[in-house]
Amino acid sequence: MPEKRGVRSVKSAARTVALLELLAARGEQPSRLDELAEELEVPRSSMYQLLQTLVDCGWVRSDATGSLYGIGIRALLTGTGYLDGDRRIRAARPHLDEASDALGETIHLARLDGPDVVYLATRESHEYPRTISRVGRRVPAHAGALGKALLAERPDDELPLPGGELVALTDNTHTTRAALHADLAQVRERGYSVDREETVTGIAGFGFALRYDTPATDAISCSVPVARLTPEHELRIVAVMREIRAKIETQLHLAPGAPDWR
């Protein structure tokens, strides 16, 4: 954890956060003590003490044998608090409902977090099975409509991308910076992003940055199965989502006294 504003990071706090993030990332896959100690380069005895403390507090759970660990329920309560405490998410929710009702498709709200976007709200379509997208899920920003809409708000030399080749989620995902930069140039010219099976095979997406921040950190998108994406339906999606974006941006001028979260 880097130092910020001349304040040294607290090693134990940084270690705790790293452990919780690792357990959260593993989801349903339980972890053993030795695995966690090795992954985080922490002495086994120190890791054991940390795990037991977090188990007692409800942030980590263990199985009946005490040998397997996973993320605990307290993490859910904290995540819910984040969603409930963000006025931008609250303000956007009725407009997501409006877009879902108008289009009959799946609508997302997400936020840029480093090289990824994190889903903050989703309205699922009743016309096709649930996609893999869900609140709290992270997706590489370069690999879909939401992320590309937000990356396009930044100069190419300031994109928050990881080093090396970009990870591919499908055969259509951009894996080179040259291809991504070319796509982002089109996004800037068009005013919205298009994802044609780059995140999920069989699903297209249209992303729109919400410009109440500069550069934008939040975006909305509409996902639709490519099997029923006609040119006419695509035009309707773009028109409706542009209207929804304008409504959200108009509403979300920062109220006096409200924190400007960063």
Side-chain angles (χ1 to χ4, degrees), residues 31-38 44 47-48 51 67 69:
S31 302
R32 295 185 179 275
L33 171 60
D34 291 341
E35 296 171 343
L36 296 171
E38 181 179 357
R44 190 178 187 278
M47 178 58 70
Y48 179 77
L51 284 168
S67 61
Y69 299 92

Side-chain angles (χ1 to χ4, degrees), residues 139-193:
V139 173
H142 69 274
L146 288 160
K148 291 194 298 181
L150 291 168
L151 293 180
E153 296 292 303
R154 292 153 173 79
D156 286 344
D157 60 355
E158 296 180 12
L159 299 181
L161 298 174
E165 186 174 273
L166 303 175
V167 64
L169 301 186
T170 73
D171 291 340
N172 294 329
T173 307
H174 296 309
T175 57
T176 68
R177 281 162 176 72
L180 177 62
H181 291 169
D183 193 340
L184 296 181
Q186 293 181 331
V187 175
R188 296 178 186 114
E189 181 178 353
R190 191 193 299 121
Y192 62 92
S193 64

Side-chain angles (χ1 to χ4, degrees), residues 137-259:
R137 177 173 176 258
R138 304 178 71 90
V139 173
H142 69 274
L146 288 160
K148 291 194 298 181
L150 291 168
L151 293 180
E153 296 292 303
R154 292 153 173 79
D156 286 344
D157 60 355
E158 296 180 12
L159 299 181
L161 298 174
E165 186 174 273
L166 303 175
V167 64
L169 301 186
T170 73
D171 291 340
N172 294 329
T173 307
H174 296 309
T175 57
T176 68
R177 281 162 176 72
L180 177 62
H181 291 169
D183 193 340
L184 296 181
Q186 293 181 331
V187 175
R188 296 178 186 114
E189 181 178 353
R190 191 193 299 121
Y192 62 92
S193 64
V194 180
D195 162 8
R196 300 197 187 275
E197 301 184 80
E198 296 170 36
T199 309
V200 180
T201 300
I203 300 294
F206 302 85
F208 300 77
L210 298 172
R211 293 166 179 154
Y212 41 67
D213 283 327
T214 304
T217 58
D218 296 346
I220 56 174
S221 73
C222 176
S223 297
V224 56
V226 294
R228 68 162 192 267
L229 182 60
T230 64
E232 294 76 17
H233 191 33
E234 181 169 332
L235 289 174
R236 168 119 176 103
I237 288 172
V238 171
V240 169
M241 294 300 290
R242 277 178 165 159
E243 181 180 349
I244 294 299
R245 170 170 64 182
K247 289 182 177 181
I248 296 174
E249 290 175 343
T250 298
Q251 182 176 346
L252 278 170
H253 290 300
L254 196 62

Side-chain angles (χ1 to χ4, degrees), residues 5-168:
R5 297 178 183 174
V7 179
R8 295 179 59 186
S9 63
V10 179
K11 186 176 182 180
S12 59
R15 180 177 292 175
T16 300
V17 171
L19 172 59
L20 292 173
E21 290 184 344
L22 177 57
L23 291 174
R26 294 193 172 186
E28 296 180 359
Q29 180 183 352
S31 302
R32 295 185 179 275
L33 171 60
D34 291 341
E35 296 171 343
L36 296 171
E38 181 179 357
E39 178 76 17
L40 297 178
E41 299 181 345
V42 174
R44 190 178 187 278
S45 59
S46 298
M47 178 58 70
Y48 179 77
Q49 293 173 359
L50 178 56
L51 284 168
Q52 294 312 305
T53 300
L54 293 174
V55 167
D56 291 341
C57 295
W59 283 88
V60 172
R61 58 180 174 176
S62 62
D63 70 336
T65 69
S67 61
L68 297 176
Y69 299 92
I71 196 71
I73 196 169
R74 290 287 173 179
L76 172 62
L77 299 178
T78 301
T80 301
Y82 178 88
L83 296 174
D84 292 343
D86 192 305
R87 67 182 294 270
R88 293 173 173 179
I89 301 174
R90 293 199 308 273
R93 283 170 178 158
H95 299 294
L96 304 183
D97 292 335
E98 181 182 352
S100 178
D101 292 341
L103 296 171
E105 306 294 355
T106 297
I107 308 298
H108 300 295
L109 168 69
R111 181 164 293 163
L112 190 66
D113 182 35
D116 302 325
V117 291
V118 180
Y119 287 87
L120 302 176
T122 293
R123 298 295 182 266
E124 296 285 352
S125 170
H126 299 296
E127 301 298 324
Y128 60 94
R130 178 184 296 270
T131 67
I132 61 173
S133 301
R134 62 187 184 274
V135 173
R137 177 173 176 258
R138 304 178 71 90
V139 173
H142 69 274
L146 288 160
K148 291 194 298 181
L150 291 168
L151 293 180
E153 296 292 303
R154 292 153 173 79
D156 286 344
D157 60 355
E158 296 180 12
L159 299 181
L161 298 174
E165 186 174 273
L166 303 175
V167 64

